[in-house]
Amino acid sequence: MELREVLTGRRMCRSFLADPVAPDVLDRVLDAGRRAPAAGNSAGTHLVVLEGPTQTARYWDVTLPAERRPGFRWPHLLDAPVLVLPLADPAAYVARYAEPDKARTGLGEGTDAWPTPYWTVDTAFAAMSMLLAAEDEGLGALFFG
């Protein structure tokens, strides 16, 4: 698929089939997230992958308890076979920028020294990279909070 097709074809999907995602396909999608830009190559984005009905059901039981589900507009959202939780790690950025080659920036002093929270920016880059990779693989995907 050409980049333009990926960009124009990408949509947020709110109804999923419970069919498992092939391991090699999932690896390629996750790899796209791992290859996203990161300030100072800080490695401050972590991906928690919940795969299969046992793991994904535990997530939904906590975030959307059974008593809230009857009126839920997108019941097949809960059928998604994989959930990827991208987590930003501010401490990784502070630690990286405290190293000798970055110390002069002053950003290693703490999160308050950062005029822009690049851990959030970079984690968003990772999420978008995975959304585009999912489209390229012919998968439906959704960013939600």
Side-chain angles (χ1 to χ4, degrees):
M1 197 179 286
E2 295 292 321
L3 178 61
R4 178 154 305 291
E5 292 174 294
V6 171
L7 293 171
T8 59
R10 193 204 56 72
R11 302 282 183 272
M12 295 298 181
C13 178
R14 291 175 180 84
S15 182
F16 294 90
L17 300 174
D19 300 342
V21 176
D24 59 320
V25 172
L26 180 56
D27 285 346
R28 286 191 298 269
V29 171
L30 295 172
D31 192 50
R34 288 188 292 263
R35 293 177 178 276
N41 200 24
S42 299
T45 297
H46 307 289
L47 304 175
V48 175
V49 181
L50 305 176
E51 189 175 5
T54 302
Q55 291 182 5
T56 60
R58 289 179 66 199
Y59 174 86
W60 292 120
D61 288 344
V62 171
T63 61
L64 188 65
E67 62 271 10
R68 291 182 45 212
R69 291 184 191 178
F72 187 61
R73 287 180 58 184
W74 303 287
H76 292 290
L77 174 63
L78 282 64
D79 293 335
V82 177
L83 298 173
V84 180
L85 310 175
L87 306 174
D89 181 2
Y93 287 77
V94 172
R96 172 65 182 106
Y97 278 78
E99 292 178 18
D101 65 321
K102 300 282 186 194
R104 72 182 184 290
T105 66
L107 299 175
E109 300 298 319
T111 56
D112 291 341
W114 290 72
T116 301
Y118 275 96
W119 43 90
T120 303
V121 173
D122 293 348
T123 301
F125 286 158
M128 188 65 191
S129 295
M130 289 185 289
L131 287 170
L132 293 172
E135 175 65 26
D136 190 46
E137 293 288 349
L139 299 173
L142 170 68
F143 180 85
F144 67 94

